[in-house]
Amino acid sequence: MSRFIHLHTHSHFSLLEALPKVKALIGHVKELEMDAVALTDNGTMYGAIEFYQKARDAGIKPLFGMDANVARESRHLKRARIDTKPNRLVLIAENTEGYLNLIQLSSIGFLEGFYYKPRIDKEVLREHAKGLICLSGGHMGEIDALIKEGKLQEAREAIRMYVEMFGQENFFLELVDRPEIAEQESTNAHLIALGKELGVPVVATKNTFYLKPQDVEAWKILNCIKGAKTLEHYERMNQFDFDASMVSEAYMIDRFADVPEAIDHTRMIADRCHVELDLGKWNFPRFEIPEGTTFRRVLTDRAYTELEEKEGPLTEEMKHRLEYELEIIDNKGFCPYFLIVSDFIVWSRLQGIMTTTRGSAAGSLVGYSIGISSINPLLYELPFERFLNPERPSAPDIDAD
């Protein structure tokens, strides 16, 4: 069991900012003989499921996280040269509630706070703090910035605020290993002192963007693509090189030999986290139906009623086809799916939004009946089985444009 665990790690899902694909990242963790790792991509949870599956397959404990962009004031403010540089916080899910809150925060960042990058703010962070362990964000975090500006009292107040938000045992001051930044050693020393003064634990991180030191050239080129710069221009603008590779446990223990608890706390955090995902089953949005009935009953009633409204009295062929399709749809557990798709397509048409359904979904008489498609498959002899059949393991694919 490894003593140090990487808690601040980026994959290629940190778009144009990090290199490692998830499989390669997990393989490297295995090579380092570490038994757990956190994935903390920038503002996103894109890689969560693949990360979970690949880590579990390799015998590695997956820790779900996010490197969050926190607006300096409000996520709704989008001012040039002010709101383009949010502070950072590393959020790690301790349990299922924390995982769900991470998803909520990531979605809010894109839907409400996006300004060059997805951003949240302290308002929504407070609303979704349960089940999360928070690291202060390292050299791009609010507390580090205040220390560098000599505002130690404001740094104390910020620490107290985050402790109150997440809980005494759930907020950690992040000591990031950045030896090339001259003031980082001094900043880390202040963080250690403030941690002792306020009773807040410290934790060591590396903040990795690629796996091995020799990957640095490719990482620089990735940054050139992001910023539309040449490699020469990039190297001229960046005053120093630094190692953002996924280093070994021995390296980190040596770097933080004077504060061994910062290493031990990475292990403690990893041991505290436990999230199990129930994969392999369908999770549809909640669709309200009358109490005392079933999705099959609602879908059946709608199919028969609405097909008769469209085609007149139902023939035996129509009834047989409806029952055949409904039996397969119900046995596969897709009745809610059909009702949900019908709901948004019918709503769109009522709002004057042009929409249609293409592909094999046109072969469903149930779909035609409830407004998903606009073609009677019996009229054109379209087979239902190309769309859905008892042997098909995946959900039916309804392409709506």
Side-chain angles (χ1 to χ4, degrees):
M1 183 179 290
S2 49
R3 181 181 164 196
F4 172 77
I5 302 297
H6 280 286
L7 298 179
H8 198 164
T9 308
H10 299 84
S11 76
H12 69 143
F13 287 106
S14 291
L15 304 180
L16 293 180
E17 295 185 299
L19 288 175
K21 293 185 177 181
V22 171
K23 183 178 180 180
L25 189 154
I26 296 300
H28 190 66
V29 172
K30 197 79 172 175
E31 288 178 15
L32 293 174
E33 298 182 343
M34 296 181 181
D35 59 312
V37 66
L39 182 64
T40 56
D41 281 314
N42 293 333
T44 77
M45 297 285 288
Y46 296 153
I49 302 301
E50 182 185 358
F51 169 66
Y52 179 81
Q53 293 172 319
K54 293 288 195 302
R56 293 287 291 265
D57 289 346
I60 303 293
K61 183 177 183 179
L63 311 178
F64 294 103
M66 182 172 72
D67 195 340
N69 302 298
V70 184
R72 295 174 184 268
E73 296 179 44
S74 168
R75 67 189 184 278
H76 300 296
L77 293 175
K78 300 173 183 180
R79 302 163 295 184
R81 295 185 297 277
I82 298 176
D83 297 307
T84 54
K85 296 182 179 180
N87 293 313
R88 307 300 281 269
L89 284 177
V90 175
L91 305 173
I92 300 173
E94 182 178 9
N95 49 40
T96 301
E97 183 178 21
Y99 173 74
L100 295 175
N101 275 326
L102 273 184
I103 293 173
Q104 288 290 326
L105 289 168
S106 178
S107 297
I108 291 169
F110 280 98
L111 296 174
E112 299 179 14
F114 195 91
Y115 186 58
Y116 291 91
K117 57 189 69 177
R119 305 173 309 144
I120 57 176
D121 59 18
K122 291 172 184 174
E123 177 189 15
V124 293
L125 196 56
R126 188 178 297 277
E127 293 172 1
H128 298 282
K130 288 185 178 179
L132 292 176
I133 293 172
C134 178
L135 316 187
S136 61
H139 71 286
M140 295 183 70
E142 176 185 7
I143 295 167
D144 277 40
L146 291 170
I147 290 172
K148 291 170 185 175
E149 294 170 7
K151 300 176 180 179
L152 293 183
Q153 185 54 38
E154 291 184 36
R156 290 185 181 91
E157 292 169 3
I159 292 171
R160 293 190 182 101
M161 182 269 297
Y162 285 118
V163 168
E164 186 272 330
M165 184 184 297
F166 291 97
Q168 187 71 39
E169 297 180 350
N170 299 326
F171 181 68
F172 292 78
L173 296 172
E174 182 178 356
L175 308 180
V176 67
D177 178 52
R178 290 293 299 272
E180 80 289 348
I181 301 178
E183 67 268 26
Q184 192 61 48
E185 293 293 330
S186 172
T187 301
N188 284 352
H190 280 295
L191 288 169
I192 294 168
L194 288 171
K196 291 179 179 177
E197 175 188 336
L198 301 174
V200 178
V202 293
V203 66
T205 69
K206 181 59 182 171
N207 195 10
T208 64
F209 290 86
Y210 48 88
L211 299 180
K212 299 179 180 180
Q214 57 265 36
D215 297 334
V216 64
E217 193 75 5
W219 182 66
K220 288 180 181 179
I221 293 170
L222 184 71
N223 279 273
C224 290
I225 296 170
K226 175 187 174 184
K229 295 180 175 65
T230 64
L231 186 59
E232 179 184 9
H233 184 231
Y234 174 83
E235 291 180 336
R236 187 168 65 249
M237 293 296 292
N238 289 270
Q239 301 174 0
F240 43 74
D241 284 333
F242 72 96
D243 180 15
S245 66
M246 183 174 276
V247 297
S248 68
E249 176 182 73
Y251 171 90
M252 292 298 288
I253 290 174
D254 179 66
R255 288 290 299 161
F256 291 92
D258 58 332
V259 54
E261 65 270 23
I263 297 293
D264 295 333
H265 287 157
T266 66
R267 175 80 257 174
M268 181 188 73
I269 289 172
D271 290 342
R272 283 176 55 183
C273 294
H274 184 75
V275 178
E276 293 280 344
L277 299 186
D278 190 8
L279 302 179
K281 74 172 189 178
W282 303 111
N283 292 286
F284 298 120
R286 186 180 294 108
F287 187 83
E288 300 293 339
I289 59 175
E291 189 174 348
T293 189
T294 64
F295 289 109
R296 168 68 183 267
R297 184 73 263 158
V298 172
L299 183 59
T300 299
D301 289 346
R302 280 196 57 192
Y304 272 86
T305 301
E306 295 177 31
L307 182 59
E308 189 167 6
E309 290 172 357
K310 289 175 176 161
E311 299 293 333
L314 302 185
T315 65
E316 287 303 314
E317 181 186 21
M318 292 176 180
K319 293 177 183 178
H320 176 77
R321 178 67 171 260
L322 284 177
E323 286 303 320
Y324 170 71
E325 291 188 14
L326 286 165
E327 188 68 17
I328 294 176
I329 292 168
D330 187 42
N331 288 340
K332 302 289 284 185
F334 295 141
C335 289
Y337 178 76
F338 274 74
L339 292 169
I340 290 166
V341 175
S342 171
D343 186 51
F344 70 72
I345 288 180
V346 171
W347 180 89
S348 298
R349 289 175 181 153
L350 291 174
Q351 305 307 309
I353 300 170
M354 294 295 293
T355 183
T356 188
T357 302
R358 57 185 171 83
S360 62
S364 172
L365 185 62
V366 171
Y368 169 66
S369 302
I370 63 175
I372 291 176
S373 64
S374 55
I375 295 175
N376 184 341
L378 296 179
L379 185 62
Y380 295 95
E381 299 182 352
L382 301 176
F384 176 70
E385 292 77 12
R386 187 170 179 271
F387 171 59
L388 182 63
N389 60 71
E391 286 73 39
R392 177 171 176 164
S394 58
D397 184 17
I398 299 176
D399 298 311
D401 297 321

